[in-house]
């Protein structure tokens, strides 16, 4: 295996970052006529809102370090990576701003970059944001990924992949993410053009453009006269302050409006559609952009949860896996980072109450775990670290007094099974008393008594098998045999069988439960 690993060689050539498909689209201008780049795109309201919603949501999530030991995960707060992600990415940036900027870059440019500064022993000590327009992913002569960074007043830098925190969007080559602004430039250009049309329309006093013509035979105007006429006309008519005013045209001049009225061009419908179109590009629910035409109290909550599962979780996974890959050493495989999205998945108060009740009743959560999910401190003296079941709930104080252990929780469960023991006990005692009463009328014969109790012993095992299994009671056959021997002993010692049976009607059921192992008696 060692020789095979030394001789192993990749069969395909590594992809060059940023050169996989779609390159010709970079040179095709938008049909709407408004050229779009990352800076211009951020002036478009729906796009700004989508980027802001996602980046601020991601920035608000706590980013911690955890250690996995078997099936147990524990938070780690004394590791230098925890301090880097949770407290201070670098001496100039707080964690919220770092995550917000990195994700915003990835949403617009398609890639977010941060240089990983390391100390002399190779430990990450700072993360420095780099604007994506300065970074070009490439490969060196050996085929290793490098990042070429342009510097304003210094020589350009070449940063190895291990020292660059790279957050890409969707990428066909897996190396450099596609720019959403570039992929959606037709939609963004149309949206900006629609806004510019509306601004120009209202800037012209809510009047469309037109032409000024002269009546035939009214003479011609010189070029300077035409220029002065148009300048004077525009000055008097443009602007909201000049709307609805009456103006005079000299004899022979006529104004004819041209263009399509906004209502015919479906101006408002187009603007609304463009907002929804941006939501589709970024997978953001429309109500996050204040588009509430189809929103209801019922579907907004489900859309909020879909936003978490469809948008937040994928971005959180990108951040977590890049951090695990670049920030930890190979001998720290038990460590991993985690962005906590649980708070975003909270429903309304009634939904959370129903969920917590179900989890507590089934013993899935203890009280402290529920309090932690609601950002509350645990109960003092470990009083909340007790799992209960619904059969017979008790207060925390009583649970602590009675032991506060798993055994006590099991005892609480058993108290709820008392009725399940009583039913077969009453039935079997009633059957036994009726059989003995019939024998007593004719005189009890030893052979018939032995035959009855041999059969009755088997029926006892069958009657109590289910509840005994639930409560962990074993050796039912031996317990049934001991009960039968006790019954035979009582019959032999009692001179009058009917008197014995009268006593049994009052107390024999509890005696049977004791013999069969009922933990409630």
């Amino acid at each position: 295996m060692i020789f095979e690993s030394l001789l192993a060689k990749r069969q395909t050539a590594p992809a060059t970052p940023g050169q996989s498909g779609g390159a010709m689209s970079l040179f095709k201008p938008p049909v709407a006529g408004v050229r779009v780049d990352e800076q211009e795109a951020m002036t478009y309201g729906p796009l700004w809102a989508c980027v802001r919603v996602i980046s601020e949501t991601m920035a608000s999530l706590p980013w911690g370090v955890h250690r996995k030991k078997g099936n147990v995960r524990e938070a780690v707060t004394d590791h230098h990576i925890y301090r880097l992600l949770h407290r201070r990415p670098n001496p100039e940036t707080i964690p919220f701003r770092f995550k917000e900027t990195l994700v915003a870059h990835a949403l617009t440019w398609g890639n977010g970059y941060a240089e990983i500064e390391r100390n002399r022993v190779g430990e990450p000590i700072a993360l420095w944001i780099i604007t994506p327009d300065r970074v070009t992913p490439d490969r060196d002569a050996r085929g290793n990924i490098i990042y070429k960074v342009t510097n304003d007043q210094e020589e350009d830098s070449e940063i190895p992949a291990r020292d660059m925190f790279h957050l890409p969007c969707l990428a066909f080559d897996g190396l450099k993410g596609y720019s959403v602004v570039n992929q959606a430039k037709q939609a963004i250009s149309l949206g900006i053009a629609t806004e510019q049309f509306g601004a120009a329309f209202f800037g012209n006093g809510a009047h469309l453009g037109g032409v000024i013509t002269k009546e035939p035979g009214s003479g011609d105007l010189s070029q300077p006269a035409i220029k002065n006429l148009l300048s004077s006309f525009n000055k008097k008519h443009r602007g909201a302050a000049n709307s609805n005013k009456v103006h005079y045209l000299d004899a022979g001049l006529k104004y004819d409006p041209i263009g399509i009225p906004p209502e015919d061009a479906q101006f408002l419908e187009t603007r609304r559609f463009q907002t929804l179109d941006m939501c589709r590009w970024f997978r953001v629910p429309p109500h996050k952009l204040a588009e509430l035409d189809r929103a209801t109290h019922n579907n907004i909550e489900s859309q909020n949860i879909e936003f978490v599962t469809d948008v937040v979780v994928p971005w959180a996974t990108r951040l977590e896996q890049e951090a695990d890959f670049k920030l930890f050493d190979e001998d720290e495989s038990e460590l991993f980072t985690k962005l906590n999205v649980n708070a975003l998945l909270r429903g309304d108060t009634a939904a959370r109450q129903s969920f917590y009740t179900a989890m507590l009743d089934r013993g899935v959560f203890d009280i402290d775990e529920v309090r932690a999910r609601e950002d509350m401190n645990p109960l003092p003296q470990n009083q909340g670290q007790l799992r209960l079941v619904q059969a017979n709930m008790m207060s925390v104080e009583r649970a602590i007094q009675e032991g506060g252990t798993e055994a006590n929780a099991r005892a609480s469960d058993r108290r709820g099974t008392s009725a399940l023991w009583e039913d077969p006990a009453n039935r079997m005692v009633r059957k036994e008393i009726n059989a003995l009463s019939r024998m007593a009328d004719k005189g009890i014969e030893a052979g018939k008594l032995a035959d009855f109790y041999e059969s009755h012993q088997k029926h006892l095992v069958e009657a109590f098998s289910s509840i005994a299994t639930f409560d962990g009671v074993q050796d039912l056959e031996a317990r049934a045999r001991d009960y039968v021997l006790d019954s035979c002993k009582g019959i032999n010692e009692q001179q009058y069988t009917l008197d014995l049976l009268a006593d049994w009607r009052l107390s024999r059921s509890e005696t049977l439960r004791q013999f069969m192992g009922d933990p409630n008696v």
Side-chain angles (χ1 to χ4, degrees):
M1 293 297 295
I2 297 178
F3 292 104
E4 290 179 1
S5 62
L6 291 175
L7 297 175
K9 185 178 180 180
R10 182 175 176 176
Q11 300 298 312
T12 58
T16 301
Q19 294 187 2
S20 60
M24 293 303 296
S25 64
L26 296 173
F27 306 100
K28 186 177 181 181
V31 178
V34 180
R35 290 191 174 273
V36 177
D37 59 16
E38 285 75 15
Q39 299 294 338
E40 181 69 21
M42 290 299 286
T43 66
Y44 181 45
L47 184 138
W48 170 277
C50 287
V51 172
R52 184 178 179 183
V53 165
I54 298 175
S55 61
E56 289 184 351
T57 301
M58 298 306 304
S60 66
L61 300 178
W63 200 353
V65 176
H66 299 264
R67 177 181 287 109
K68 187 174 183 179
K69 293 182 177 179
N71 295 327
V72 178
R73 295 181 297 177
E74 60 182 13
V76 179
T77 58
D78 57 353
H79 198 279
H80 62 278
I81 299 301
Y82 172 82
R83 293 188 293 271
L84 198 66
L85 299 177
H86 190 75
R87 293 187 178 180
R88 184 180 296 182
N90 61 63
E92 301 176 356
T93 310
I94 60 176
F96 184 96
R97 192 186 312 144
F98 173 81
K99 289 178 286 187
E100 179 186 34
T101 305
L102 191 68
V103 173
H105 285 170
L107 288 169
T108 50
W109 268 281
N111 300 272
Y113 299 103
E115 180 185 356
I116 304 173
E117 181 184 358
R118 301 179 185 271
N119 57 20
R120 293 183 178 180
V121 296
E123 295 177 343
I125 58 174
L127 296 170
W128 298 95
I129 291 285
I130 306 175
T131 55
D133 57 338
R134 296 173 51 198
V135 184
T136 303
D138 203 349
R139 291 187 181 272
D140 59 16
R142 297 183 177 181
N144 299 319
I145 298 176
I146 59 173
Y147 294 87
K148 296 180 178 180
V149 182
T150 58
N151 301 310
D152 292 336
Q153 300 178 356
E154 298 181 7
E155 294 183 359
D156 294 349
S157 305
E158 288 189 0
I159 301 177
R162 70 181 298 267
D163 293 333
M164 180 66 80
F165 193 104
H166 182 193
L167 180 66
C169 194
L170 175 65
F172 282 177
D173 59 9
L175 299 173
K176 184 177 181 180
Y178 281 119
S179 168
V180 176
V181 171
N182 181 64
Q183 300 300 114
K185 63 183 177 182
Q186 298 288 356
I188 298 171
S189 178
L190 175 59
I192 296 177
T194 305
E195 288 185 346
Q196 291 177 351
F197 169 80
F201 175 73
F202 289 102
N204 287 327
H207 292 292
L208 296 170
V211 296
I212 298 176
T213 60
K214 284 180 62 63
E215 296 290 343
S218 60
D220 295 330
L221 295 177
S222 63
Q223 288 297 327
I226 295 175
K227 184 176 181 180
N228 291 334
L229 174 64
L230 294 177
S231 176
S232 176
F233 188 87
N234 288 330
K235 184 177 180 180
K236 292 180 179 179
H237 285 268
R238 283 184 175 175
N242 294 323
S243 62
N244 301 319
K245 288 185 178 181
V246 178
H247 297 276
Y248 171 76
L249 290 175
D250 292 334
L253 297 178
K254 181 181 179 181
Y255 175 79
D256 294 317
I258 59 175
I260 302 175
E263 60 272 15
D264 293 340
Q266 295 185 320
F267 175 71
L268 294 179
E269 289 78 2
T270 300
R271 296 207 66 189
R272 184 176 296 110
F273 172 80
Q274 288 305 112
T275 299
L276 297 176
D277 200 25
M278 283 296 101
C279 291
R280 279 188 283 269
W281 277 100
F282 289 94
R283 303 180 72 184
V284 174
H287 74 271
K288 293 284 188 181
L289 273 64
E291 176 57 56
L292 303 176
D293 282 356
R294 298 181 180 274
T296 65
H297 290 292
N298 292 330
N299 66 19
I300 280 183
E301 181 180 347
S302 62
Q303 287 183 41
N304 283 333
I305 296 177
E306 289 176 358
F307 173 70
V308 175
T309 57
D310 297 343
V311 180
V312 176
V313 170
W315 281 106
T317 304
R318 290 186 179 102
L319 287 165
E320 292 166 354
Q321 293 186 357
E322 181 70 6
D324 297 346
F325 186 61
K326 299 284 182 69
L327 301 182
F328 293 122
D329 293 334
E330 293 183 0
D331 59 353
E332 295 179 308
S333 58
E334 77 282 0
L335 295 176
F336 64 95
T337 65
K338 189 69 176 177
L339 284 157
N340 185 6
V341 301
N342 289 333
L344 299 177
L345 291 172
R346 291 179 180 173
D348 56 24
T349 303
R352 297 205 310 275
Q353 179 182 358
S354 176
F355 171 72
Y356 291 148
T357 300
M359 295 298 100
L360 286 170
D361 289 351
R362 289 164 175 78
V364 178
F365 290 168
D366 61 34
I367 298 175
D368 281 351
E369 289 173 330
V370 173
R371 293 175 65 87
R373 286 174 173 263
E374 291 294 315
D375 296 327
M376 301 171 66
N377 292 327
L379 295 177
Q381 300 178 357
N382 298 327
Q383 294 179 1
Q385 297 181 4
L386 178 66
R387 299 185 187 275
L388 303 173
V389 293
Q390 189 177 13
N392 189 9
M393 304 294 286
M394 65 173 65
S395 67
V396 173
E397 291 78 7
R398 180 181 173 188
I400 298 299
Q401 292 174 359
E402 296 184 9
T405 62
E406 293 184 2
N408 177 57
R410 184 65 175 172
S412 172
D413 192 2
R414 287 174 177 172
R415 280 190 292 273
T417 65
S418 178
L420 300 179
W421 284 91
E422 290 177 358
D423 179 67
N426 291 337
R427 286 190 291 105
M428 299 309 295
V429 168
R430 187 165 53 250
K431 179 179 180 181
E432 181 181 11
I433 291 176
N434 291 338
L436 293 176
S437 296
R438 290 193 297 270
M439 293 182 191
D441 292 340
K442 300 179 181 180
I444 296 179
E445 298 179 5
K448 292 184 178 180
L449 185 65
D451 292 338
F452 167 75
Y453 274 113
E454 181 179 0
S455 175
H456 192 62
Q457 179 177 332
K458 296 179 181 178
H459 292 160
L460 288 174
V461 173
E462 295 174 357
F464 288 95
S465 60
S466 297
I467 186 59
T469 301
F470 181 83
D471 271 340
V473 177
Q474 300 178 352
D475 300 325
L476 277 186
E477 293 183 358
R479 294 175 180 274
R481 183 173 60 254
D482 292 340
Y483 173 80
V484 167
L485 292 176
D486 182 79
S487 295
C488 293
K489 179 180 178 181
I491 293 172
N492 292 331
E493 293 178 352
Q494 180 62 258
Q495 184 176 2
Y496 300 101
T497 303
L498 295 179
D499 293 340
L500 174 65
L501 297 181
D503 293 336
W504 278 9
R505 286 189 173 92
L506 299 177
S507 60
R508 195 58 179 174
S509 177
E510 184 175 351
T511 302
L512 175 58
R513 291 167 59 189
Q514 291 176 344
F515 271 96
M516 300 306 293
D518 182 359
N520 303 294
V521 295

